[in-house]
Amino acid sequence: MKLRALVPVLLIGCVVQAQQRAPNIESITKEELRADLTFLASDAMQGRLTDTVTNAVAAEFVASRFQRLGLTPAGPKGSYFQPYNLMTASLGAANALAISGGPTARSGQDFYAARFSATGSAKGGVVFAGFGITWPEHGYDDYRGDVKDKIVLVVDHEPGERDPASPFDGLVTSEASGPLRKALAAQDKGAAGILFVSDVHNHPEDANFEASARTYWPAAPPRIERFTLATWMERVKIPAAQISPAFAAQILAPSGRKLEDLSKASETAKGAVPIPLPGVEVELTTAVERHVIPDRNVLALVEGSDPKLRDETVIVCAHYDHDGADGPRIFNGADDNGSGTIGLLEIAQAYALSAKAGQRPKRSVLLAAWNSEERGLLGAWAYTEDPMRPLDRTVGVLNMDMIGRNEEVPEGQGNTGRFRGLDVQTAESNANATNVIGTTRSPSLLAVIERANASIGLTLRLRYDNNISQLMRRSDHWPFLNRGIPGVWFHSGLHPDYHTINDDADRINYEKMEKISRLVYQASWDLAQQTARPTLTDGSR
């Protein structure tokens, strides 16, 4: 054996020897994981859908376990619950769009109001504002000009959406490009209203706009409501609507501009200068009724022991909601995300046993069960809007979402449908593996995890951070990354039962679930013990 081959072995040995094994890590067992998950993912729990009785029962179950363990409530007013509001929307009757002295648009055929739109009217000249994105932290601004009291016209999505080296988030859709965020950006610049249209240079295919309108505002209420965070929706004070490319062409006609040319010219590195469209004035009226839905996270705290570090926080988290039931078809969500929730409870127990024995980490640890992840990471986003512990003193987030199965992409399904961007692979090849997503944003946090894994022995797969599957933004670490906090997602992988009625507790790999739960506990303990804080790379947002 060559000397260079011996060095890594010796280094690994030193790491294992130097590492302090997290106290009571052996209390995390596959037997307890199985027993609790069998309950949480049972038919009786009816899939734990947001705004249902069984979702509330799941929250009470987590809170009661935190209480039984003697953990400190971390919600307001001494409660384990952090309340916040969601919103749904219904379409009112008075929706109209017209070009002054020109054609009148037909609602549902030429335009439709955005769900997040305010109810109101706006009239004014039209300014084309590229993608309509403002991102000061990245030096990007599509509003380097006056749009005050104007109706802005912007294209969907973001520059470089298919470019892995995009200055935004590579292939991952950035938060700044979301339509609600674009509406707020236009509003902040003084715009009276905003119109969205397809970025036809990136999506030149003919689309059935009327079908899209029917999908966006279905005639019958959907089984699962479209929820938005109330604090976001309440900030939007201007009317907002989506228009068809055909109607956009009519708005552009007096100026002699073409949508395809304007859309293509929007692909810039730092943003575009708004372009006034002379000879046209638009009047937009939207009527959107907003409905408030109470929601809540479940939070408990392990207070740190070090006087200087206890005000800093490590977050260990998972979401407890899933997709409910459709008559007799129950989406039990054993892996997604009963597995992460039960893993969180086992980690909570290990911390509680250690605290009772006088062993507390130096930093505080927040144990968080988020709600409404399936509806858009809304519980985690709500926490970042109203944090119970200061975000600038939150050193890292370890998120568990689907830690109970083996990633499996069957033959013929690779890079298609739900497996878009994923290679064909067998469950057997991933029997002892877990993905850790988000590590490219914080190599120093990855080092903590790899060190913790030295005594666990999982195969860590570091992939999907910059992938068309969008996995990077599909779980509860994402809101924290967007607030400048290092965060990763422990995710054993997608599989054919993902988001189907077959995601049941009897299909879980409990031995691996035990290993991942122990890994997260060990990594969180180490992170709470070490003096240094992990950092984000320069490319992180």
Side-chain angles (χ1 to χ4, degrees):
M1 184 180 293
K2 294 180 181 179
L3 180 60
R4 70 174 64 182
L6 281 171
V7 173
V9 176
L10 293 172
L11 289 175
I12 291 172
C14 292
V15 168
V16 173
Q17 185 177 14
Q19 183 187 40
Q20 177 195 0
R21 191 164 174 82
N24 291 291
I25 194 170
E26 293 81 8
S27 68
I28 300 172
T29 67
K30 58 187 177 183
E31 291 80 14
E32 290 186 359
L33 291 165
R34 182 191 295 270
D36 280 343
L37 185 55
T38 299
F39 163 70
L40 190 64
S42 66
D43 285 355
M45 292 300 292
Q46 289 287 295
R48 312 183 302 280
L49 179 65
T50 292
D51 194 31
T52 64
V53 170
T54 52
N55 177 275
V57 170
E60 295 287 351
F61 167 66
V62 174
S64 68
R65 184 63 61 84
F66 285 164
Q67 184 176 31
R68 192 184 79 182
L69 291 171
L71 296 170
T72 301
K77 300 179 181 178
S79 171
Y80 288 104
F81 299 111
Q82 180 194 24
Y84 56 91
N85 288 328
L86 306 178
M87 271 189 176
T88 60
S90 56
L91 188 63
N95 288 278
L97 174 63
I99 300 173
S100 297
T104 298
R106 299 159 296 176
S107 181
Q109 294 176 282
D110 300 312
F111 84 102
Y112 55 84
R115 280 189 291 268
F116 55 81
S117 174
T119 293
S121 296
K123 183 177 181 180
V126 182
V127 175
F128 180 77
F131 284 96
I133 294 172
T134 296
W135 197 353
E137 300 85 354
H138 199 58
Y140 187 97
D141 190 3
D142 279 320
Y143 289 100
R144 299 177 184 182
D146 184 20
V147 298
K148 186 172 176 57
D149 299 327
K150 303 295 185 181
I151 308 294
V152 296
L153 173 64
V154 304
V155 294
D156 296 333
H157 306 130
E158 65 184 34
E161 66 171 277
R162 297 190 178 102
D163 181 4
S166 163
F168 281 72
D169 280 313
L171 295 174
V172 180
T173 302
S174 67
E175 282 300 315
S177 68
L180 188 149
R181 310 246 185 220
K182 290 184 179 184
L184 291 174
Q187 179 176 288
D188 289 344
K189 297 294 183 177
I194 184 168
L195 299 174
F196 298 91
V197 67
S198 174
D199 51 338
V200 292
H201 73 291
N202 283 324
H203 301 274
E205 62 277 3
D206 290 334
N208 188 331
F209 187 83
E210 292 183 41
S212 298
R214 288 194 298 270
T215 299
Y216 193 89
W217 290 110
R223 180 180 75 84
I224 300 178
E225 287 281 1
R226 281 80 173 264
F227 296 94
T228 305
L229 201 60
T231 56
W232 291 346
M233 207 158 166
E234 289 165 347
R235 291 174 191 158
V236 180
K237 309 294 185 183
I238 61 175
Q242 187 82 27
I243 64 174
S244 69
F247 196 78
Q250 296 185 66
I251 293 175
L252 292 168
S255 69
R257 301 275 189 169
K258 300 292 185 184
L259 178 60
E260 291 81 359
D261 297 335
L262 289 172
S263 181
K264 187 175 181 179
S266 301
E267 290 281 347
T268 65
K270 296 297 182 181
V273 176
I275 300 173
L277 302 176
V280 65
E281 190 173 75
V282 164
E283 185 169 2
L284 171 65
T285 298
T286 52
V288 177
E289 298 174 4
R290 296 173 173 178
H291 312 282
V292 175
I293 310 294
D295 209 29
R296 57 186 180 169
N297 296 319
V298 191
L299 308 175
L301 186 71
V302 179
E303 189 173 5
S305 61
D306 188 287
K308 294 182 179 179
L309 295 178
R310 66 166 56 124
D311 290 337
E312 296 186 356
T313 307
V314 174
I315 296 179
V316 181
C317 60
H319 74 89
Y320 63 86
D321 65 296
H322 193 56
D323 282 347
D326 187 7
R329 293 165 46 83
I330 303 173
F331 298 84
N332 284 319
D335 190 27
D336 186 14
N337 183 36
S339 62
T341 304
I342 299 307
L344 178 69
L345 293 182
E346 283 291 289
I347 292 169
Q349 176 179 265
Y351 271 112
L353 290 171
S354 302
K356 288 176 182 176
Q359 294 176 290
R360 291 179 177 270
K362 294 179 180 179
R363 290 188 175 95
S364 297
V365 177
L366 180 71
L367 303 158
W370 314 121
N371 202 7
S372 301
E373 186 271 355
E374 301 289 0
R375 312 281 67 87
L377 321 183
L378 297 179
W381 276 117
Y383 180 89
T384 64
E385 291 285 340
D386 182 24
M388 299 294 100
R389 305 277 295 181
L391 294 182
D392 63 354
R393 298 185 69 79
T394 299
V395 304
V397 175
L398 305 179
N399 173 44
M400 295 173 288
D401 190 354
M402 298 176 65
I403 61 169
R405 293 287 294 270
N406 302 333
E407 183 161 11
E408 179 185 0
V409 181
E411 289 284 348
Q413 296 187 41
N415 200 28
T416 63
R418 68 177 55 197
F419 300 121
R420 186 167 176 251
L422 278 63
D423 295 329
V424 170
Q425 51 199 290
T426 64
E428 291 75 17
S429 68
N430 291 306
N432 190 52
T434 185
N435 298 295
V436 189
I437 297 172
T439 57
T440 57
R441 305 295 180 95
S442 182
S444 53
L445 181 53
L446 171 60
V448 173
I449 294 164
E450 289 180 327
R451 178 171 177 262
N453 188 53
S455 61
I456 305 294
L458 283 160
T459 298
L460 304 183
R461 303 205 189 282
L462 310 177
R463 52 190 180 181
Y464 304 145
D465 278 17
N466 190 5
N467 187 282
I468 58 173
S469 65
Q470 299 282 332
L471 283 168
M472 172 67 98
R473 63 165 296 145
R474 284 167 58 181
S475 194
D476 291 314
H477 64 300
W478 180 249
F480 294 93
L481 279 173
N482 278 271
R483 294 300 182 95
I485 300 167
V488 293
W489 170 17
F490 294 86
H491 171 56
S492 56
L494 300 183
H495 48 78
D497 295 335
Y498 167 68
H499 276 211
T500 75
I501 60 172
N502 298 317
D503 184 8
D504 291 322
D506 60 0
R507 301 189 178 199
I508 296 295
N509 179 345
Y510 287 99
E511 183 174 350
K512 186 168 81 170
M513 187 176 164
E514 176 188 276
K515 283 187 175 183
I516 297 174
S517 300
R518 288 185 176 187
L519 170 59
V520 175
Y521 175 50
Q522 182 70 61
S524 67
W525 180 272
D526 293 346
L527 191 55
Q529 284 289 88
Q530 69 180 31
T531 302
R533 293 176 56 160
T535 57
L536 287 175
T537 60
D538 291 341
S540 298
R541 316 300 178 225

Tab-separated table of all heavy atoms in Angstrom, residues 358-400:
chain	number	residue	atom	x	y	z
A	358	GLY	N	-27.656	16.121	33.070
A	358	GLY	CA	-26.732	17.243	33.223
A	358	GLY	C	-25.822	17.464	32.041
A	358	GLY	O	-24.815	18.176	32.154
A	359	GLN	N	-26.171	16.891	30.882
A	359	GLN	CA	-25.358	17.054	29.678
A	359	GLN	C	-26.153	17.866	28.654
A	359	GLN	O	-27.046	17.339	27.986
A	359	GLN	CB	-24.976	15.695	29.087
A	359	GLN	CG	-24.044	14.876	29.963
A	359	GLN	CD	-23.779	13.501	29.362
A	359	GLN	OE1	-24.658	12.654	29.315
A	359	GLN	NE2	-22.561	13.291	28.898
A	360	ARG	N	-25.811	19.129	28.568
A	360	ARG	CA	-26.446	20.012	27.584
A	360	ARG	C	-25.380	20.521	26.623
A	360	ARG	O	-24.244	20.766	27.033
A	360	ARG	CB	-27.116	21.208	28.266
A	360	ARG	CG	-28.343	20.881	29.086
A	360	ARG	CD	-28.907	22.132	29.737
A	360	ARG	NE	-30.117	21.857	30.482
A	360	ARG	CZ	-31.343	21.921	29.970
A	360	ARG	NH1	-31.500	22.290	28.699
A	360	ARG	NH2	-32.401	21.653	30.695
A	361	PRO	N	-25.723	20.710	25.369
A	361	PRO	CA	-24.754	21.281	24.441
A	361	PRO	C	-24.495	22.747	24.782
A	361	PRO	O	-25.282	23.384	25.492
A	361	PRO	CB	-25.443	21.136	23.081
A	361	PRO	CG	-26.903	21.147	23.407
A	361	PRO	CD	-27.026	20.455	24.734
A	362	LYS	N	-23.427	23.303	24.261
A	362	LYS	CA	-23.086	24.696	24.559
A	362	LYS	C	-24.096	25.664	23.945
A	362	LYS	O	-24.532	26.611	24.597
A	362	LYS	CB	-21.677	25.005	24.045
A	362	LYS	CG	-20.579	24.231	24.783
A	362	LYS	CD	-19.205	24.546	24.213
A	362	LYS	CE	-18.119	23.763	24.958
A	362	LYS	NZ	-16.776	24.029	24.398
A	363	ARG	N	-24.448	25.426	22.682
A	363	ARG	CA	-25.476	26.243	22.043
A	363	ARG	C	-26.850	25.658	22.324
A	363	ARG	O	-26.991	24.482	22.654
A	363	ARG	CB	-25.250	26.310	20.531
A	363	ARG	CG	-24.054	27.115	20.094
A	363	ARG	CD	-24.033	27.291	18.573
A	363	ARG	NE	-22.948	28.176	18.166
A	363	ARG	CZ	-21.748	27.766	17.783
A	363	ARG	NH1	-21.465	26.472	17.750
A	363	ARG	NH2	-20.822	28.648	17.439
A	364	SER	N	-27.870	26.488	22.143
A	364	SER	CA	-29.240	26.002	22.258
A	364	SER	C	-29.641	25.286	20.978
A	364	SER	O	-29.145	25.589	19.886
A	364	SER	CB	-30.200	27.159	22.535
A	364	SER	OG	-29.907	27.768	23.783
A	365	VAL	N	-30.551	24.335	21.129
A	365	VAL	CA	-31.052	23.559	19.993
A	365	VAL	C	-32.566	23.723	19.929
A	365	VAL	O	-33.269	23.440	20.906
A	365	VAL	CB	-30.672	22.065	20.109
A	365	VAL	CG1	-31.278	21.273	18.947
A	365	VAL	CG2	-29.150	21.898	20.136
A	366	LEU	N	-33.052	24.197	18.796
A	366	LEU	CA	-34.489	24.327	18.571
A	366	LEU	C	-34.959	23.123	17.786
A	366	LEU	O	-34.445	22.827	16.702
A	366	LEU	CB	-34.800	25.609	17.797
A	366	LEU	CG	-36.283	25.861	17.510
A	366	LEU	CD1	-37.024	26.226	18.797
A	366	LEU	CD2	-36.465	26.958	16.458
A	367	LEU	N	-35.942	22.413	18.358
A	367	LEU	CA	-36.551	21.252	17.710
A	367	LEU	C	-37.866	21.714	17.104
A	367	LEU	O	-38.780	22.112	17.833
A	367	LEU	CB	-36.760	20.135	18.725
A	367	LEU	CG	-35.463	19.696	19.433
A	367	LEU	CD1	-35.764	19.016	20.752
A	367	LEU	CD2	-34.644	18.780	18.522
A	368	ALA	N	-37.949	21.704	15.773
A	368	ALA	CA	-39.069	22.334	15.082
A	368	ALA	C	-39.792	21.349	14.180
A	368	ALA	O	-39.172	20.725	13.303
A	368	ALA	CB	-38.575	23.521	14.262
A	369	ALA	N	-41.098	21.237	14.392
A	369	ALA	CA	-41.969	20.474	13.495
A	369	ALA	C	-42.802	21.484	12.709
A	369	ALA	O	-43.707	22.114	13.256
A	369	ALA	CB	-42.863	19.524	14.286
A	370	TRP	N	-42.444	21.655	11.437
A	370	TRP	CA	-43.127	22.637	10.603
A	370	TRP	C	-44.424	22.061	10.045
A	370	TRP	O	-44.519	20.866	9.789
A	370	TRP	CB	-42.251	23.074	9.423
A	370	TRP	CG	-40.832	23.405	9.721
A	370	TRP	CD1	-39.722	22.810	9.199
A	370	TRP	CD2	-40.338	24.448	10.587
A	370	TRP	NE1	-38.581	23.401	9.679
A	370	TRP	CE2	-38.923	24.408	10.530
A	370	TRP	CE3	-40.953	25.405	11.387
A	370	TRP	CZ2	-38.117	25.284	11.249
A	370	TRP	CZ3	-40.167	26.281	12.106
A	370	TRP	CH2	-38.758	26.227	12.041
A	371	ASN	N	-45.376	22.928	9.806
A	371	ASN	CA	-46.598	22.526	9.119
A	371	ASN	C	-46.578	23.067	7.689
A	371	ASN	O	-45.783	23.943	7.345
A	371	ASN	CB	-47.837	23.050	9.854
A	371	ASN	CG	-49.085	22.254	9.518
A	371	ASN	OD1	-49.038	21.224	8.836
A	371	ASN	ND2	-50.227	22.713	10.000
A	372	SER	N	-47.435	22.518	6.858
A	372	SER	CA	-47.734	23.044	5.513
A	372	SER	C	-46.518	23.125	4.605
A	372	SER	O	-46.455	23.992	3.733
A	372	SER	CB	-48.432	24.405	5.627
A	372	SER	OG	-49.623	24.292	6.364
A	373	GLU	N	-45.579	22.210	4.771
A	373	GLU	CA	-44.463	22.127	3.833
A	373	GLU	C	-44.964	21.762	2.445
A	373	GLU	O	-44.509	22.314	1.440
A	373	GLU	CB	-43.440	21.093	4.321
A	373	GLU	CG	-42.165	21.022	3.501
A	373	GLU	CD	-42.226	20.049	2.320
A	373	GLU	OE1	-43.248	19.332	2.171
A	373	GLU	OE2	-41.263	19.995	1.549
A	374	GLU	N	-45.908	20.821	2.401
A	374	GLU	CA	-46.423	20.369	1.105
A	374	GLU	C	-47.150	21.476	0.358
A	374	GLU	O	-47.361	21.383	-0.847
A	374	GLU	CB	-47.366	19.176	1.296
A	374	GLU	CG	-46.758	17.968	1.974
A	374	GLU	CD	-45.747	17.233	1.107
A	374	GLU	OE1	-45.510	17.663	-0.045
A	374	GLU	OE2	-45.178	16.236	1.578
A	375	ARG	N	-47.544	22.506	1.045
A	375	ARG	CA	-48.282	23.613	0.437
A	375	ARG	C	-47.361	24.761	0.022
A	375	ARG	O	-47.822	25.816	-0.375
A	375	ARG	CB	-49.360	24.125	1.395
A	375	ARG	CG	-50.229	23.007	2.008
A	375	ARG	CD	-51.295	22.495	1.066
A	375	ARG	NE	-50.820	21.781	-0.087
A	375	ARG	CZ	-50.566	20.460	-0.113
A	375	ARG	NH1	-50.664	19.736	0.970
A	375	ARG	NH2	-50.196	19.877	-1.234
A	376	GLY	N	-46.037	24.549	0.148
A	376	GLY	CA	-45.091	25.580	-0.276
A	376	GLY	C	-44.100	25.976	0.796
A	376	GLY	O	-43.674	27.144	0.840
A	377	LEU	N	-43.725	25.030	1.677
A	377	LEU	CA	-42.774	25.295	2.768
A	377	LEU	C	-43.295	26.398	3.682
A	377	LEU	O	-42.512	27.154	4.276
A	377	LEU	CB	-41.390	25.683	2.228
A	377	LEU	CG	-40.854	24.966	0.992
A	377	LEU	CD1	-39.429	25.464	0.669
A	377	LEU	CD2	-40.858	23.476	1.139
A	378	LEU	N	-44.598	26.486	3.843
A	378	LEU	CA	-45.187	27.682	4.450
A	378	LEU	C	-44.910	27.798	5.941
A	378	LEU	O	-44.754	28.900	6.461
A	378	LEU	CB	-46.691	27.716	4.170
A	378	LEU	CG	-47.047	27.819	2.680
A	378	LEU	CD1	-48.554	27.828	2.486
A	378	LEU	CD2	-46.416	29.060	2.051
A	379	GLY	N	-44.829	26.686	6.663
A	379	GLY	CA	-44.506	26.757	8.081
A	379	GLY	C	-43.095	27.278	8.318
A	379	GLY	O	-42.869	28.131	9.188
A	380	ALA	N	-42.139	26.777	7.545
A	380	ALA	CA	-40.760	27.244	7.687
A	380	ALA	C	-40.630	28.698	7.248
A	380	ALA	O	-39.934	29.499	7.884
A	380	ALA	CB	-39.816	26.354	6.881
A	381	TRP	N	-41.301	29.073	6.142
A	381	TRP	CA	-41.282	30.476	5.727
A	381	TRP	C	-41.899	31.364	6.802
A	381	TRP	O	-41.400	32.468	7.073
A	381	TRP	CB	-42.044	30.656	4.417
A	381	TRP	CG	-41.260	30.376	3.176
A	381	TRP	CD1	-41.512	29.398	2.252
A	381	TRP	CD2	-40.106	31.074	2.690
A	381	TRP	NE1	-40.594	29.437	1.235
A	381	TRP	CE2	-39.721	30.466	1.468
A	381	TRP	CE3	-39.364	32.151	3.166
A	381	TRP	CZ2	-38.625	30.911	0.730
A	381	TRP	CZ3	-38.272	32.591	2.431
A	381	TRP	CH2	-37.911	31.975	1.235
A	382	ALA	N	-42.992	30.886	7.429
A	382	ALA	CA	-43.634	31.676	8.486
A	382	ALA	C	-42.673	31.905	9.640
A	382	ALA	O	-42.639	33.001	10.230
A	382	ALA	CB	-44.899	30.976	8.974
A	383	TYR	N	-41.883	30.889	9.975
A	383	TYR	CA	-40.907	31.058	11.055
A	383	TYR	C	-39.874	32.116	10.687
A	383	TYR	O	-39.497	32.953	11.528
A	383	TYR	CB	-40.213	29.729	11.366
A	383	TYR	CG	-39.189	29.850	12.484
A	383	TYR	CD1	-39.575	29.667	13.807
A	383	TYR	CD2	-37.865	30.158	12.213
A	383	TYR	CE1	-38.640	29.809	14.834
A	383	TYR	CE2	-36.929	30.305	13.228
A	383	TYR	CZ	-37.320	30.129	14.544
A	383	TYR	OH	-36.404	30.273	15.556
A	384	THR	N	-39.393	32.116	9.444
A	384	THR	CA	-38.389	33.110	9.070
A	384	THR	C	-38.981	34.519	9.040
A	384	THR	O	-38.246	35.502	9.182
A	384	THR	CB	-37.755	32.795	7.700
A	384	THR	OG1	-38.747	32.861	6.662
A	384	THR	CG2	-37.115	31.421	7.703
A	385	GLU	N	-40.293	34.632	8.865
A	385	GLU	CA	-40.950	35.941	8.932
A	385	GLU	C	-41.097	36.417	10.375
A	385	GLU	O	-41.077	37.618	10.648
A	385	GLU	CB	-42.337	35.862	8.279
A	385	GLU	CG	-42.322	35.664	6.782
A	385	GLU	CD	-41.955	36.927	6.027
A	385	GLU	OE1	-42.076	38.026	6.598
A	385	GLU	OE2	-41.534	36.826	4.858
A	386	ASP	N	-41.258	35.474	11.296
A	386	ASP	CA	-41.465	35.815	12.706
A	386	ASP	C	-40.699	34.815	13.572
A	386	ASP	O	-41.293	33.971	14.247
A	386	ASP	CB	-42.963	35.781	13.030
A	386	ASP	CG	-43.257	36.184	14.468
A	386	ASP	OD1	-42.438	36.907	15.069
A	386	ASP	OD2	-44.319	35.767	14.990
A	387	PRO	N	-39.368	34.876	13.563
A	387	PRO	CA	-38.569	33.854	14.247
A	387	PRO	C	-38.676	33.934	15.763
A	387	PRO	O	-38.715	35.024	16.343
A	387	PRO	CB	-37.143	34.150	13.774
A	387	PRO	CG	-37.159	35.605	13.420
A	387	PRO	CD	-38.536	35.885	12.889
A	388	MET	N	-38.708	32.788	16.381
A	388	MET	CA	-38.727	32.715	17.841
A	388	MET	C	-37.313	32.852	18.423
A	388	MET	O	-37.155	33.150	19.602
A	388	MET	CB	-39.344	31.392	18.304
A	388	MET	CG	-40.796	31.190	17.871
A	388	MET	SD	-41.954	32.371	18.643
A	388	MET	CE	-42.161	33.574	17.323
A	389	ARG	N	-36.302	32.603	17.616
A	389	ARG	CA	-34.904	32.805	17.982
A	389	ARG	C	-34.284	33.665	16.880
A	389	ARG	O	-34.588	33.479	15.710
A	389	ARG	CB	-34.161	31.462	18.076
A	389	ARG	CG	-34.807	30.457	19.014
A	389	ARG	CD	-34.429	30.663	20.451
A	389	ARG	NE	-33.013	30.441	20.690
A	389	ARG	CZ	-32.452	30.557	21.896
A	389	ARG	NH1	-33.190	30.892	22.954
A	389	ARG	NH2	-31.150	30.336	22.052
A	390	PRO	N	-33.421	34.615	17.209
A	390	PRO	CA	-32.899	35.533	16.190
A	390	PRO	C	-32.227	34.793	15.031
A	390	PRO	O	-31.390	33.913	15.246
A	390	PRO	CB	-31.889	36.372	16.968
A	390	PRO	CG	-32.325	36.292	18.395
A	390	PRO	CD	-32.901	34.912	18.562
A	391	LEU	N	-32.578	35.173	13.824
A	391	LEU	CA	-32.001	34.518	12.656
A	391	LEU	C	-30.505	34.787	12.547
A	391	LEU	O	-29.739	33.923	12.108
A	391	LEU	CB	-32.715	34.982	11.381
A	391	LEU	CG	-34.188	34.570	11.244
A	391	LEU	CD1	-34.727	35.066	9.914
A	391	LEU	CD2	-34.365	33.061	11.363
A	392	ASP	N	-30.065	35.968	12.959
A	392	ASP	CA	-28.637	36.277	12.845
A	392	ASP	C	-27.805	35.520	13.868
A	392	ASP	O	-26.572	35.535	13.807
A	392	ASP	CB	-28.386	37.779	12.933
A	392	ASP	CG	-28.791	38.383	14.276
A	392	ASP	OD1	-29.382	37.662	15.110
A	392	ASP	OD2	-28.539	39.577	14.489
A	393	ARG	N	-28.472	34.861	14.800
A	393	ARG	CA	-27.775	34.023	15.773
A	393	ARG	C	-28.162	32.551	15.610
A	393	ARG	O	-27.977	31.742	16.529
A	393	ARG	CB	-28.050	34.517	17.199
A	393	ARG	CG	-27.540	35.942	17.431
A	393	ARG	CD	-27.707	36.393	18.874
A	393	ARG	NE	-26.817	35.673	19.786
A	393	ARG	CZ	-25.530	35.933	19.957
A	393	ARG	NH1	-24.953	36.887	19.255
A	393	ARG	NH2	-24.805	35.248	20.813
A	394	THR	N	-28.708	32.228	14.451
A	394	THR	CA	-29.001	30.837	14.104
A	394	THR	C	-27.853	30.330	13.245
A	394	THR	O	-27.596	30.860	12.168
A	394	THR	CB	-30.337	30.734	13.339
A	394	THR	OG1	-31.393	31.221	14.181
A	394	THR	CG2	-30.626	29.297	12.952
A	395	VAL	N	-27.141	29.331	13.741
A	395	VAL	CA	-25.876	28.947	13.107
A	395	VAL	C	-26.049	27.891	12.019
A	395	VAL	O	-25.176	27.740	11.163
A	395	VAL	CB	-24.858	28.450	14.156
A	395	VAL	CG1	-24.631	29.510	15.220
A	395	VAL	CG2	-25.302	27.147	14.802
A	396	GLY	N	-27.137	27.148	12.041
A	396	GLY	CA	-27.322	26.119	11.026
A	396	GLY	C	-28.652	25.421	11.189
A	396	GLY	O	-29.255	25.423	12.266
A	397	VAL	N	-29.128	24.838	10.076
A	397	VAL	CA	-30.408	24.131	10.043
A	397	VAL	C	-30.172	22.737	9.478
A	397	VAL	O	-29.616	22.582	8.381
A	397	VAL	CB	-31.433	24.887	9.173
A	397	VAL	CG1	-32.725	24.089	9.050
A	397	VAL	CG2	-31.715	26.266	9.755
A	398	LEU	N	-30.593	21.727	10.231
A	398	LEU	CA	-30.513	20.330	9.803
A	398	LEU	C	-31.945	19.841	9.623
A	398	LEU	O	-32.667	19.628	10.602
A	398	LEU	CB	-29.758	19.484	10.832
A	398	LEU	CG	-28.349	19.969	11.192
A	398	LEU	CD1	-27.722	19.056	12.247
A	398	LEU	CD2	-27.455	20.028	9.959
A	399	ASN	N	-32.349	19.658	8.388
A	399	ASN	CA	-33.730	19.349	8.032
A	399	ASN	C	-33.853	17.898	7.576
A	399	ASN	O	-33.073	17.431	6.749
A	399	ASN	CB	-34.174	20.302	6.910
A	399	ASN	CG	-35.537	19.952	6.356
A	399	ASN	OD1	-36.469	19.653	7.100
A	399	ASN	ND2	-35.664	19.978	5.037
A	400	MET	N	-34.834	17.191	8.127
A	400	MET	CA	-35.105	15.810	7.731
A	400	MET	C	-36.439	15.742	7.000
A	400	MET	O	-37.471	16.126	7.544
A	400	MET	CB	-35.157	14.898	8.967
A	400	MET	CG	-33.856	14.776	9.718
A	400	MET	SD	-34.043	13.859	11.282
A	400	MET	CE	-34.946	15.056	12.275
